Amino acid sequence: MKILDKFKVFENFANNRLQKASFCILLFAAVAFAEEFNMNNMPPPEASLHYSTGALKKGSSVTVDITIPDNWHVNANVAADEFLKPSSIEISAQGIHFGEPKWPEPLKEYSEALDLENLVFRGHFQIHLPIESIDNNYDSLTTSATFHYQACDNSICLAPSQVTFGLNALGFAQKSGLQPAPLKKNDDDETSNTPSFQESVNSTVANKSFAGTIILLLSALLGGLILNLMPCVLPVLSLKLFSLMKQARESRGRLLLLGATTTAGILASFWLLAAVVAAVKAGGGNAGWGMQFQSAGFIAFMVVILSAFAMSFFGVFEIWLPGSATTKMDSAGRKQGIIGAFFTGALLVLLSTPCSAPFLGTAMGFAFTASTPVLFLFFTAAGVGLALPYMLVSAFPKVLKVFPKPGAWMVTLQKIMGVLLLATVVWLLWIVHEQSGNFGVGIFAAISLLSIALSFAIGNIAPPGVAFFREVLAVGGSVIFLFVIWFAFASPKYEDEVDARFKARSVQLVTEDGWYRYTPEVIEEFAKAGRTVFIDATADWCITCKANEAAVLNREDFRRAMDSLNVALVKADWTRETPEVTKLLRSMGKSGVPAYAIYPAGDKSKQIVLPELLTTNAIVEKIAGSK
């Protein structure tokens, strides 16, 4: 068999300087990202909740349904021994105050492994939580619950874990508080065959629930569209612009094909993120929008691939195919454009999701607590929104005529794009600096320099026209070398430094810029003092967060306004995932940062959630109106 036949799978990458290298390195990102999330051996329990029928009022209740996988059990709410973790439930909703949970009677089972009689829950069981009071501005759509548990079988007990969930896609209530619930009919009931008033009421919640789901889906679509205008997309703006310039003189059919391919790349990345979220949730972990930037492995992957992309733009190396493949320049060039459009779309998503856009945060806040099919549906809607400008430009190509004809100037522009890609690497190094200081910057800068050096090596070892196996060895050897450097040396040292710095920061009551550091205990203290609280949920890697800080939160007029209103400023750091901040985001109905909220007089039950983009006047008006 000819060499060309053996490597036919690479034909789509002909004469392309970027895509095959990124394809080879993609495995690096997948493994590096996966290592950040440890999965339990037991699948997480199935969990759902629903309100009692009728208008919500004092005396209504919430029922939480838990189903434990076969051959496993969890400790009861009262542990049989001090070294066992009892089950517990936390629940919150805007304007709704819950009483103590009512647990089922536990089972008594003798454990040979533990040599004691344990109290456990198996299979399906329910937890009932009474509603003690309701505020006028309540919203049951924001209901979020977390079930904490320790799973055991006959031979082992796993580490304690948790699962967070909310109202399902067809089961949430609007402020009417009504819930669709099937009525149990009794054959002896004389009215069992006659539709009751309650059945009519249930049908009317069902309709509102469906309408609510559609509204949230439209919010995800609109949020994805707005994401194109957010500061988060600035690092990839150069790629988008250069791609449009190259396509400006293509035929209408060709533009439609390239637009569809870019959309496919965007959707593929969104579905990949949705799959990671589903996997993290299945393992009992906490997932959120932009969580990939909490992973050092993901940042390392982006540093490597962007450094290599920049070198390719500078002409340092290119990926080529042997033999007769080089004679098919026309078809290969067409394939190059299609593959390039796909990878541009995929990279656009990976770099544009460290921040939440208006409408997107609320929609994804619901999606992250919903079932896996609903999660994928919402990610698809957001992906379509992000891709919508490319779809419209492809359908109406007259817009592209503003670009000049392709020529020698594009070579210079390509090198400028390479500089902008290196600027994106500098942005990633800044993110690393915020988490680990100069020590971390040194590690990631070394990784970037290694990627650049390996790009030169590939260009010298395997220039177009030499034996093809040299290119395979050069690219494959570079990927393996980067794997070894990251996992054996860089990652352990970096993680130790970040953990040490994060722990040191977490014990500080006040941040470097004068904000109180968020803990539930701090909020309780302000509530006792009756002091209004403004909460900023942020992350070092969130560009929109930093833009809001520069434009509003760090300005002197904002500080003076908050001081005059006696408002306590509290910062919740989500740079690295913590259960406390994740729970706070869930209470706001958000899946990621930025997220802002006001607690009038410190009362979190009267939480006022603010939009992702801020102004001082809007914040002051909300605080003044809450008094």
Side-chain angles (χ1 to χ4, degrees):
M1 183 180 293
K2 294 181 179 180
I3 294 291
L4 178 60
D5 293 332
K6 292 182 179 180
F7 294 98
K8 191 172 182 180
V9 68
F10 292 109
E11 184 174 347
N12 288 337
F13 294 88
N15 292 318
N16 190 295
R17 299 181 176 183
L18 306 177
Q19 281 75 44
K20 198 165 76 171
S22 62
F23 179 79
C24 295
I25 299 173
L26 185 60
L27 183 61
F28 172 75
V31 177
F33 188 33
E35 73 167 352
E36 307 292 330
F37 305 101
N38 295 320
M39 306 297 183
N40 282 343
N41 293 327
M42 184 192 85
E46 295 181 7
S48 62
L49 61 87
H50 62 272
Y51 283 92
S52 54
T53 57
L56 290 187
K57 58 184 179 180
K58 181 178 180 180
S60 298
S61 63
V62 169
T63 299
V64 175
D65 286 273
I66 305 290
T67 302
I68 307 300
D70 293 341
N71 302 320
W72 290 88
H73 64 262
V74 297
N75 298 323
N77 57 306
V78 177
D81 199 281
E82 61 181 2
F83 63 83
L84 294 175
K85 175 73 173 178
S87 295
S88 62
I89 187 77
E90 296 177 350
I91 189 169
S92 63
Q94 178 179 315
I96 304 177
H97 309 276
F98 302 94
E100 292 298 317
K102 298 178 181 179
W103 294 81
E105 192 70 23
L107 302 173
K108 294 183 178 180
E109 293 185 356
Y110 178 76
S111 171
E112 294 182 0
L114 301 175
D115 192 24
L116 56 78
E117 188 173 61
N118 197 12
L119 300 176
V120 304
F121 295 135
R122 285 186 179 274
H124 173 261
F125 62 93
Q126 292 183 328
I127 309 166
H128 300 280
L129 297 103
I131 295 177
E132 293 187 338
S133 63
I134 295 180
D135 298 336
N136 291 333
N137 66 336
Y138 82 89
D139 187 355
S140 58
L141 178 60
T142 64
T143 305
S144 177
T146 301
F147 176 59
H148 300 268
Y149 63 93
Q150 183 180 27
C152 305
D153 63 7
N154 294 330
S155 60
I156 189 174
C157 282
L158 303 177
S161 188
Q162 64 188 36
V163 58
T164 300
F165 52 98
L167 294 163
N168 59 48
L170 294 178
F172 60 76
Q174 302 294 330
K175 291 188 178 180
S176 63
L178 302 176
Q179 282 291 57
L183 295 180
K184 295 182 179 178
K185 294 186 178 182
N186 191 309
D187 291 339
D188 297 330
D189 190 344
E190 295 179 0
T191 63
S192 61
N193 293 323
T194 303
S196 66
F197 171 75
Q198 185 63 58
E199 287 177 302
S200 300
V201 168
N202 286 339
S203 176
T204 303
V205 173
N207 291 335
K208 287 186 176 181
S209 296
F210 179 76
T213 305
I214 296 300
I215 291 173
L216 285 174
L217 274 173
L218 291 175
S219 295
L221 179 73
L222 182 58
L225 177 61
I226 296 176
L227 199 60
N228 284 284
L229 305 176
M230 301 299 287
C232 307
V233 304
L234 292 179
V236 289
L237 189 59
S238 60
L239 288 178
K240 294 163 58 178
L241 181 63
F242 191 60
S243 176
L244 289 175
M245 286 182 175
K246 289 195 299 183
Q247 299 168 19
R249 303 297 168 177
E250 300 284 359
S251 66
R252 184 181 182 88
R254 173 79 169 151
L255 284 172
L256 286 173
L257 179 59
L258 291 172
T261 308
T262 300
T263 301
I266 290 174
L267 291 177
S269 272
F270 266 106
W271 291 334
L272 175 62
L273 290 175
V276 172
V277 170
V280 172
K281 289 174 60 180
N286 291 317
W289 182 258
M291 68 179 184
Q292 68 269 26
F293 280 85
Q294 296 172 340
S295 163
F298 175 81
I299 296 178
F301 165 68
M302 296 309 300
V303 166
V304 167
I305 200 169
L306 288 174
S307 299
F309 276 17
M311 293 304 102
S312 179
F313 274 16
F314 293 148
V316 169
F317 76 100
E318 66 176 276
I319 301 300
W320 53 277
L321 289 178
S324 60
T326 58
T327 66
K328 303 177 181 178
M329 295 302 293
D330 181 64
S331 61
R334 296 176 68 84
K335 291 176 182 177
Q336 172 186 345
I338 294 172
I339 298 296
F342 181 88
F343 274 85
T344 299
L347 187 63
L348 173 66
V349 173
L350 293 179
L351 278 176
S352 65
T353 56
C355 307
S356 178
F359 300 100
L360 190 64
T362 300
M364 289 304 181
F366 170 74
F368 273 68
T369 61
S371 62
T372 298
V374 173
L375 177 72
F376 272 84
L377 180 62
F378 273 72
F379 267 70
T380 301
V384 170
L386 182 63
L388 195 57
Y390 306 96
M391 298 165 65
L392 292 176
V393 167
S394 300
F396 304 99
K398 290 184 178 180
V399 178
L400 294 176
K401 290 186 177 179
V402 297
F403 295 126
K405 293 182 179 181
W409 64 271
M410 294 198 72
V411 177
T412 302
L413 180 62
Q414 181 169 301
K415 293 180 179 180
I416 295 175
M417 298 298 106
V419 173
L420 293 178
L421 288 178
L422 289 180
T424 305
V425 174
V426 173
W427 167 64
L428 292 172
L429 294 180
W430 173 78
I431 291 175
V432 170
H433 180 270
E434 294 297 294
Q435 300 182 45
S436 60
N438 293 334
F439 178 84
V441 171
I443 290 178
F444 279 80
I447 292 173
S448 177
L449 291 175
L450 274 176
S451 178
I452 292 172
L454 290 171
S455 298
F456 276 96
I458 293 172
N460 290 325
I461 295 172
V466 301
F468 184 58
F469 77 90
R470 293 174 61 175
E471 182 182 26
V472 175
L473 291 177
V475 174
S478 298
V479 172
I480 294 172
F481 180 70
L482 288 170
F483 261 102
V484 172
I485 291 296
W486 174 251
F487 288 108
F489 303 104
S491 180
K493 294 182 181 297
Y494 177 78
E495 291 295 343
D496 289 343
E497 179 68 17
V498 170
D499 287 342
R501 291 173 65 94
F502 193 77
K503 289 176 182 177
R505 289 167 60 178
S506 64
V507 298
Q508 297 175 345
L509 180 61
V510 180
T511 65
E512 294 82 356
D513 51 0
W515 289 58
Y516 291 95
R517 194 172 298 281
Y518 173 81
T519 66
E521 292 75 20
V522 165
I523 300 302
E524 290 176 4
E525 290 299 318
F526 286 128
K528 292 177 183 177
R531 189 175 179 186
T532 295
V533 175
F534 175 83
I535 295 181
D536 169 20
T538 183
D540 290 338
W541 38 260
C542 171
I543 301 182
T544 305
C545 303
K546 299 304 177 183
N548 279 334
E549 289 173 9
V552 179
L553 302 182
N554 289 342
R555 291 175 61 90
E556 190 60 32
D557 58 342
F558 172 78
R559 295 297 186 105
R560 287 198 301 267
M562 296 300 101
D563 288 341
S564 66
L565 294 169
N566 193 30
V567 175
L569 301 178
V570 176
K571 183 167 292 186
D573 189 355
W574 205 57
T575 301
R576 300 208 112 190
E577 195 277 329
T578 62
E580 294 81 8
V581 179
T582 299
K583 183 180 178 182
L584 172 67
L585 291 172
R586 295 289 187 267
S587 74
M588 298 182 189
K590 303 292 185 180
S591 63
V593 292
Y596 308 99
I598 297 167
Y599 289 173
D603 188 352
K604 61 183 180 182
S605 67
K606 297 180 180 179
Q607 178 189 82
I608 301 172
V609 179
L610 300 173
E612 283 82 356
L613 300 180
L614 301 174
T615 64
T616 299
N617 289 339
I619 297 172
V620 170
E621 288 176 3
K622 289 291 185 181
I623 293 174
S626 67
K627 293 185 176 181

